C-alpha cells in the first residue's frame, strides 16, 4: 500500500515544461523531460510486482538513499516506462545492490562506467525489448525508458550527481540509457543466463555489467572464426583500458548474429571463443610499459614476475573473464565493452526481489 | 497554472549519525601522520607533499604510508583499524 505520508508526496505544477524547469533548478533529473509520477501512474506501475511498495530493499550508494519499490516506481514513471517493464527494472536495481557489483565504485569513479542492462529470455519478445538492429541505439520504448530509469534511480536514490558524487571525468552517452536484449533467436550458443549463471534455458533474467560504451568491431571480410576473433582481439588489446593494466576485470563481447554464425560455423563453442581471445587479445610487455596505467598494475604474481619485453600478457585473469553474448541485427559489426574492472557483473532471475547477496 | 501531487522520487536517507566527531588536532608536534595511499600515483605525490609541509611546520612529526588494495574499493577494515591506532591525522587522496 502506498504511503500517504506527507513527506513522500509533493505538490508540483502540472505543466510539463514548467515542471522540467523547476526540477532542473532543484538539481533533479537527467536534463530531459519527464512524466509526472501521479498516484494513478504509481499504482499502475506497482500493481505489476508482489512486493509492498514501502518495503526497504537496501541503501543505494554513494548517497545511501533507501531503495523501495515505490521510489523505483516513481523513477520508472519519470523515465516514461511502461508498467509491464517494472519487474525487470526492479530486479535490475536489486542486482546492482549486490556487493560484488561494487555500486559505490561504479557511481563515484572518474572512469566513465555505466551499468549496462542485458535482458534475456522469453521476456525479450513479450515486452518488445530490442535485441536486433540498433539494439544499443534509440527507437524502442523498453530499451530507452528502462535504461533511462536505471540512471534516474542512480541519480535520485543513490544521489550520484555528475560533478558532485559522480566524479566521472567525462562520463559517456550510455549514462543516459544503456539497455539491450540478448538475441537468443539468432545465437548459435546457449543463452547467456544459462551459460554464466546456471539458469534454465530461456529463463527470464537480467544481467547488469559496469562497462564502457560499445567499442565497434568492423569485419566485413573474415569468413572463419579465426578471422572474426582476430578483429575482436584487436579491439580488446587496448593499452589504455582499465582491465589491461589495472583490474583485469570482465570484458563483454557482444557479437552480431552474422559474426557469431561465422565463428560457430568453424566449430567454435562459446568456450572456444573465450580461449581464443585469452590467447590472442594480448599486448607485449614493452607496449604496456609505455603508458596507460603502468605502475599501478594489480596483476597476479605470475604476471608481475614477467620481465621479457616480448612476452604478451592478457587483459583478464582467465578465459572466463570474457563474457560472450549475441545481440544486434543484420550486418558485420560486433562490439567490445571493457569493464570498469573493480566490479563484477550480476545475473538475476526476473522477479527475484531478495536483498541478500546474489540470487541463484 | 494548475498543480498536481506526485510521489517524491528521491531516496530517503538516514538521519546523520549522533556520534560526535573527534575534536580537531590543534598542534601536530610529535604526532603521527598517516597517508592512506589509494594506489593513484598523482594523489600519492600530492599527499607526500602535504605531509612534508606538515613536517617542516611542526616539530617531530612522523609520517607513515598505508596502501589500500584498490582505488575503487573502500579501504580494508584492518588498515582503517591500524591507522586509528597509530595516527593522529590521516591524509586521504580522492580522485587521480
Amino acid at each position: 500500500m502506498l504511503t500517504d505520508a506527507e513527506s513522500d508526496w509533493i505538490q508540483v505544477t502540472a505543466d510539463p515544461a514548467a515542471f522540467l524547469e523547476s526540477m532542473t533548478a532543484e538539481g533533479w533529473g537527467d536534463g530531459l523531460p519527464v512524466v509526472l509520477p501521479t498516484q494513478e501512474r504509481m499504482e499502475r506501475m506497482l500493481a505489476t510486482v508482489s512486493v509492498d511498495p514501502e518495503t526497504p530493499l537496501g541503501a543505494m550508494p554513494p548517497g545511501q538513499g533507501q531503495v523501495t519499490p515505490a521510489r523505483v516506481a516513481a523513477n520508472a514513471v519519470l523515465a516514461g516506462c511502461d508498467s509491464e517493464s517494472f519487474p525487470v527494472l526492479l530486479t535490475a536495481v536489486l542486482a546492482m545492490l549486490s556487493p560484488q557489483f561494487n555500486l559505490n565504485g561504479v557511481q563515484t569513479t572518474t572512469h566513465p562506467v555505466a551499468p549496462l542492462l542485458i535482458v534475456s529470455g522469453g521476456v525479450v519478445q513479450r515486452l518488445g525489448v530490442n535485441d536486433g538492429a540498433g539494439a544499443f541505439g534509440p527507437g524502442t520504448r523498453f530499451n530507452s525508458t528502462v535504461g533511462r530509469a536505471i540512471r534516474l534511480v542512480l541519480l535520485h536514490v543513490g544521489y550520484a550527481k555528475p560533478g558532485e558524487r559522480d566524479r566521472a571525468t567525462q562520463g559517456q552517452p550510455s549514462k543516459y540509457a544503456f539497455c539491450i536484449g540478448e538475441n537468443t533467436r539468432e545465437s548459435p550458443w546457449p543463452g547467456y543466463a544459462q551459460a554464466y549463471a546456471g539458469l534454465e534455458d530461456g529463463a527470464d533474467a537480467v544481467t547488469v555489467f559496469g562497462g564502457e560504451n560499445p567499442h565497434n568491431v568492423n569485419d566485413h571480410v573474415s569468413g572463419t572464426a579465426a578471422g572474426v576473433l582476430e578483429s575482436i582481439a584487436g579491439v580488446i588489446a587496448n593499452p589504455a583500458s582499465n582491465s589491461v593494466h589495472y583490474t583485469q576485470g570482465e570484458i563483454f563481447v557482444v557479437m552480431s548474429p552474422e559474426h557469431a554464425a561465422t565463428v560457430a560455423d568453424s566449430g567454435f563453442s562459446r568456450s572456444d571463443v573465450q580461449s581464443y581471445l585469452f590467447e590472442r587479445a594480448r599486448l607485449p610487455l614493452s607496449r604496456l610499459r609505455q603508458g596507460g596505467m603502468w605502475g599501478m598494475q594489480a596483476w597476479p604474481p605470475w604476471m608481475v614476475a614477467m620481465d621479457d619485453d616480448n612476452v604478451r600478457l592478457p587483459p583478464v585473469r582467465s578465459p572466463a573473464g570474457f563474457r560472450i553474448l549475441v545481440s544486434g541485427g543484420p550486418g558485420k559489426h560486433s562490439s567490445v565493452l571493457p569493464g570498469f574492472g573493480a566490479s563484477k557483473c550480476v545475473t538475476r532471475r526476473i522477479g527475484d526481489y531478495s536483498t541478500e547477496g546474489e540470487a541463484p | 497554472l494548475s498543480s498536481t501531487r506526485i510521489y517524491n522520487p528521491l531516496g530517503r536517507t538516514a538521519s546523520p549519525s549522533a556520534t560526535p566527531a573527534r575534536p580537531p588536532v590543534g598542534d601536530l608536534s610529535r604526532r603521527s601522520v598517516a597517508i592512506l595511499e589509494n594506489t593513484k600515483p598523482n594523489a600519492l605525490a600530492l599527499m607526500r607533499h602535504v605531509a612534508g609541509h606538515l613536517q617542516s611546520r611542526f616539530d617531530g612529526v612522523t609520517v607513515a604510508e598505508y596502501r589500500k588494495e584498490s582505488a575503487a574499493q573502500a579501504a580494508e577494515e584492518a588498515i582503517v583499524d591500524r591507522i586509528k591506532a597509530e595516527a593522529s591525522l590521516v591524509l586521504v587522496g580522492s580522485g587521480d
Side-chain angles (χ1 to χ4, degrees):
Chain A
M1 182 87 178
L2 264 173
T3 171
D4 209 32
E6 213 165 288
S7 59
D8 287 322
W9 294 91
I10 40 183
Q11 203 70 28
V12 300
T13 170
D15 176 64
F19 180 68
L20 177 61
E21 234 171 84
S22 67
M23 72 179 280
T24 303
E26 291 286 334
W28 293 15
D30 57 5
L32 299 172
V34 296
V35 176
L36 296 175
T38 58
Q39 178 136 7
E40 184 198 345
R41 289 174 182 140
M42 287 289 292
E43 284 172 356
R44 206 178 310 142
M45 197 66 72
L46 288 161
T48 62
V49 298
S50 54
V51 196
D52 186 273
E54 303 299 337
T55 307
L57 297 172
M60 176 169 280
Q64 307 303 329
Q66 186 60 238
V67 175
T68 63
R71 287 309 156 192
V72 179
N75 286 286
V77 176
L78 286 172
C81 292
D82 183 271
S83 59
E84 295 305 312
S85 64
F86 186 59
V88 182
L89 172 65
L90 186 59
T91 308
V93 169
L94 290 169
M96 291 191 299
L97 293 183
S98 180
Q100 73 182 55
F101 192 71
N102 184 21
L103 184 58
N104 191 55
V106 168
Q107 291 261 68
T108 59
T109 178
T110 51
H111 185 267
V113 55
L116 167 66
L117 168 60
I118 300 162
V119 185
S120 301
V123 70
V124 171
Q125 295 305 305
R126 288 200 308 278
L127 297 186
V129 186
N130 188 2
D131 63 351
F136 281 110
T140 306
R141 183 176 180 187
F142 185 101
N143 301 42
S144 299
T145 59
V146 176
R148 183 188 183 201
I150 284 184
R151 175 54 50 190
L152 291 180
V153 169
L154 295 172
L155 286 165
H156 293 153
V157 184
Y159 293 95
K161 194 173 177 193
E164 295 179 8
R165 285 172 164 139
D166 173 355
R167 304 301 304 172
T169 305
Q170 294 186 318
Q172 58 187 19
S174 56
K175 283 198 167 197
Y176 283 98
F178 206 13
C179 170
I180 60 169
E182 180 189 10
N183 187 344
T184 48
R185 296 170 291 115
E186 297 183 277
S187 172
W189 304 303
Y192 180 92
Q194 184 184 3
Y196 288 100
L199 300 188
E200 74 275 11
D201 184 26
D204 292 340
V206 294
T207 299
V208 290
F209 164 64
E212 295 180 11
N213 279 344
H215 299 214
N216 185 50
V217 180
N218 182 354
D219 186 337
H220 278 63
V221 173
S222 296
T224 64
V228 170
L229 294 177
E230 285 298 320
S231 295
I232 292 173
V235 173
I236 293 170
N238 166 5
S241 163
N242 244 21
S243 283
V244 169
H245 278 107
Y246 190 42
T247 52
Q248 297 218 299
E250 297 152 336
I251 295 174
F252 270 65
V253 178
V254 180
M255 298 184 70
S256 69
E258 291 181 22
H259 277 166
T262 299
V263 171
D265 284 349
S266 293
F268 276 48
S269 65
R270 177 185 263 117
S271 164
D272 292 321
V273 172
Q274 291 172 308
S275 298
Y276 192 99
L277 293 175
F278 191 66
E279 287 303 315
R280 297 295 296 167
R282 296 184 174 210
L283 286 164
L285 186 55
S286 57
R287 179 76 185 86
L288 293 168
R289 283 183 168 135
Q290 287 175 345
M293 296 175 86
W294 180 255
M296 297 177 58
Q297 303 92 300
W299 286 350
W302 75 265
M303 283 176 64
V304 173
M306 293 289 174
D307 197 31
D308 177 353
D309 267 355
N310 299 313
V311 71
R312 300 177 70 84
L313 297 173
V316 289
R317 298 235 166 172
S318 73
F322 293 113
R323 319 288 283 199
I324 315 296
L325 73 143
V326 174
S327 188
K332 300 287 190 181
H333 295 268
S334 290
S335 54
V336 166
L337 286 77
F340 165 49
S343 163
K344 287 186 176 160
C345 65
V346 178
T347 297
R348 182 178 268 240
R349 188 187 299 278
I350 293 172
D352 180 345
Y353 308 127
S354 60
T355 55
E356 290 300 317
E358 187 179 357
Chain B
L1 289 175
S2 63
S3 70
T4 190
R5 198 176 75 132
I6 66 166
Y7 194 86
N8 187 342
L10 305 183
R12 267 196 196 160
T13 52
S15 306
S17 163
T19 310
R22 278 191 190 179
V25 181
D27 183 1
L28 282 180
S29 301
R30 291 171 296 285
R31 300 274 197 163
S32 300
V33 172
I35 290 175
L36 177 55
E37 190 200 333
N38 70 353
T39 75
K40 300 280 181 99
N42 295 334
L44 180 60
L46 176 63
M47 289 190 288
R48 281 178 173 161
H49 181 80
V50 171
H53 179 70
L54 293 174
Q55 283 182 305
S56 66
R57 188 165 163 191
F58 297 98
D59 292 333
V61 171
T62 57
V63 176
E65 293 182 7
Y66 305 78
R67 184 181 164 96
K68 67 177 191 170
E69 200 172 308
S70 163
Q73 307 268 9
E76 297 76 13
E77 222 166 284
I79 290 180
V80 175
D81 288 343
R82 274 185 59 205
I83 292 174
K84 275 158 71 177
E86 297 169 9
S88 303
L89 178 78
V90 58
L91 303 177
V92 181
S94 176
D96 300 341

